[in-house]
Amino acid sequence: MPKRLFVMWAPPRSLSTAFVRIVAARADFTILHEPLCDLAACGHYLDKRAGAPAHQVDSAQALFDYVELLRRDGQVFIKDTCEYAYDDVLAGTAYLRDATHVFMLRDPEKVINSHYHINPDLRCAEVGYEHLARVYKLVRAESHNAPLFVDADQLAADPDGTMARFCASAGLAHMPDSLRWEGGHLDVWERTRRWHLDAANSTGIALIERRYATRVDNHELLRDFYRANLPFYEYLKQQAEGRHP
């Protein structure tokens, strides 16, 4: 009997990596870091977790097959960021139907400010909320499991309470000790190492307020990105709050 599969979908720069550090600290999941994102960006995904043989896949179907193998031995948690569209490879798959899908939401203004700071070539679609909404609609239509949501600001402000609520809704034991971990980079981050400096330097969740020089409130193009992504964010917030227009 395959063990449980969780897939987290998130805009880049939404604290999703911090969430995965909590999951990793539980030590009861095999974790894959952004496999579909790597396939879209590089044409392959290399799983190189410490203590496990390296394994490369070169297609979405090969990834889905690999995940099924991993599920024979234990629970699997996967995180992907939505700067790319994935609905074309997800529709009709067991990966979509069988998983419990988790959607990470963060105010798009904060997402855009942080993303642009890392990537000044940011394009509107790469903010990710339209892609995230498209995945959500597929999950609503095809998944056997109700989608779950995590609010990034709530996670930062109240890690223990947020994780306790998440675990209750996910049918998992809450492990408060998982809110602390050893700092340092993880091998699985190698392709996007510079994106995870905060997570690498952290030993727990903490509120970090940064004031970026270029922001939604002072840059016309970023303001346009915000306006374009806001309706998709608001739609997903409505879904998270149980309002389904």
Side-chain angles (χ1 to χ4, degrees):
M1 180 73 175
K3 304 300 190 296
R4 297 186 70 187
L5 170 63
F6 288 81
V7 183
M8 169 167 271
W9 306 98
R13 313 307 294 168
S14 62
L15 303 188
S16 58
T17 299
F19 187 93
V20 175
R21 290 223 76 159
I22 298 173
V23 176
R26 296 172 58 95
D28 60 348
F29 280 93
T30 294
I31 295 176
L32 302 186
H33 180 77
E34 301 180 6
L36 286 176
C37 188
D38 277 14
L39 281 167
C42 309
H44 67 270
Y45 169 70
L46 178 62
D47 178 19
K48 49 182 295 187
R49 289 168 288 119
H55 184 89
Q56 181 169 307
V57 297
D58 300 306
S59 70
Q61 187 57 56
L63 169 67
F64 301 155
D65 293 342
Y66 179 54
V67 169
E68 289 308 299
L69 287 175
L70 294 176
R71 290 178 66 200
R72 294 179 185 178
D73 296 324
Q75 300 182 111
V76 177
F77 191 99
I78 300 169
K79 189 263 284 193
D80 257 306
T81 52
C82 289
E83 59 265 55
Y84 301 101
Y86 304 121
D87 42 317
D88 57 336
V89 298
L90 287 174
T93 63
Y95 186 91
L96 179 67
R97 291 191 302 273
D98 292 351
T100 297
H101 296 272
V102 185
F103 293 84
M104 190 79 164
L105 302 182
R106 189 187 190 196
D107 181 343
E109 182 172 358
K110 295 177 181 178
V111 165
I112 291 167
N113 291 346
S114 178
H115 197 154
Y116 185 81
H117 176 71
I118 299 286
N119 174 27
D121 296 323
L122 174 66
R123 294 176 296 176
C124 187
E126 293 172 333
V127 175
Y129 267 108
E130 182 175 2
H131 297 154
L132 192 68
R134 285 161 60 178
V135 170
Y136 173 78
K137 289 177 181 178
L138 272 179
V139 167
R140 281 281 305 273
E142 297 190 30
S143 179
H144 298 318
N145 303 303
L148 304 178
F149 292 88
V150 178
D151 183 278
D153 289 329
Q154 291 177 6
L155 179 65
D158 180 17
D160 185 68
T162 301
M163 290 307 300
R165 290 188 293 274
F166 171 79
C167 289
S169 63
L172 296 170
H174 177 43
M175 300 182 183
D177 288 349
S178 68
L179 297 171
R180 307 298 299 177
W181 53 78
E182 294 291 327
H185 277 280
L186 303 182
D187 290 342
V188 295
W189 298 346
E190 194 58 38
R191 183 182 70 83
T192 52
R193 185 182 182 93
R194 70 189 181 93
W195 291 76
H196 305 302
L197 295 178
D198 286 342
N201 293 328
S202 69
T203 57
I205 300 288
L207 282 169
I208 301 174
E209 294 293 338
R210 287 198 171 84
R211 187 72 171 170
Y212 299 105
T214 305
R215 308 180 303 275
V216 165
D217 66 1
N218 67 8
H219 191 281
E220 184 176 355
L221 181 62
L222 297 190
R223 207 156 39 240
D224 289 342
F225 290 177
Y226 174 76
R227 292 183 183 124
N229 280 270
L230 184 61
F232 299 106
Y233 169 75
E234 290 180 334
Y235 163 74
L236 290 165
K237 284 287 284 186
Q238 288 180 338
Q239 306 307 301
E241 293 163 1
R243 295 179 286 135
H244 305 292

